[in-house]
Amino acid sequence: QNKYKDNFFLGTGVNSLGDNIDLINHSFNNGFDTFLIMPPAYYTSNSHEGVYAFYANIIQRFPKIKIILYNFQKLSQYLFSPKAVEKLVKNFPEAIRGCKDSSYNLYEHLKIPGFSILPGSETKLLHGLQKGANGIISAVTNVTHSLAKQVYDDFCNNKKQTVNEKLCAVRRAFDDTENLISALHSFMSLKD
């Protein structure tokens, strides 16, 4: 019921196709249509064909879905190749809308008209924008949002970058912890 509901997308990257379908169905019933979905991580030998079938099954069930692929080999044991993404976009252009690239093997090279590329770190924001990326998706922007927005706005307005080094330094401080997400939770608990 939040007034910003239309600005949200949901992450449903669970291993089970059935669980993903249940979560997506519940979300559609509550007015959400855009999802960040990671390939199943349970199988360490994910093939391009298996990952393609996973997304194809979801799209067949929800023809109006909008999907942001989540490329994060460290968590999913699968690395999207440019060719695999291009095939998904070619066959499902209305559904496959973008990619969060946390493995950083796509954002510099993949160029698909109308397809959003979003690296997963503030340290990649400026370089990514220079290479044609659309921004970033990062949990750490819970802390760095003002700096990241200024880097983004300054880039879009052709202004001199004045805070990118600070933005990257804050991100690296989180990267240097033993567990980035735990560090972020700890930081946020002290803040609030």
Side-chain angles (χ1 to χ4, degrees), residues 144-186:
T144 64
H145 53 86
S146 297
L147 294 169
K149 181 155 181 7
Q150 185 173 343
V151 169
Y152 180 86
D153 288 345
D154 288 349
F155 174 83
C156 291
N157 295 315
N158 294 313
K159 290 185 175 179
K160 181 181 178 186
Q161 291 292 329
T162 59
V163 299
N164 186 57
E165 286 183 31
K166 184 175 184 180
L167 172 67
C168 293
V170 173
R171 173 57 192 240
R172 281 192 295 273
F174 280 94
D175 286 341
D176 289 344
T177 64
E178 200 167 303
N179 184 312
L180 181 145
I181 298 300
S182 292
L184 181 59
H185 287 189
S186 295

Side-chain angles (χ1 to χ4, degrees), residues 69 80-89 106 110 112 115:
L69 304 171
F80 277 98
S81 69
K83 188 175 180 180
V85 173
E86 288 166 350
K87 181 179 177 183
L88 281 164
V89 173
L106 301 172
L110 191 62
I112 302 172
F115 183 79

Side-chain angles (χ1 to χ4, degrees), residues 10 12 17-33 35 37 58 61-63 65:
L10 305 178
T12 62
L17 177 62
D19 288 348
N20 269 290
I21 287 171
D22 288 345
L23 287 167
I24 293 167
N25 188 56
H26 178 74
S27 301
F28 261 93
N29 290 336
N30 286 281
F32 293 96
D33 65 357
F35 301 87
I37 304 176
I58 292 171
R61 176 73 198 270
F62 303 99
I65 194 169

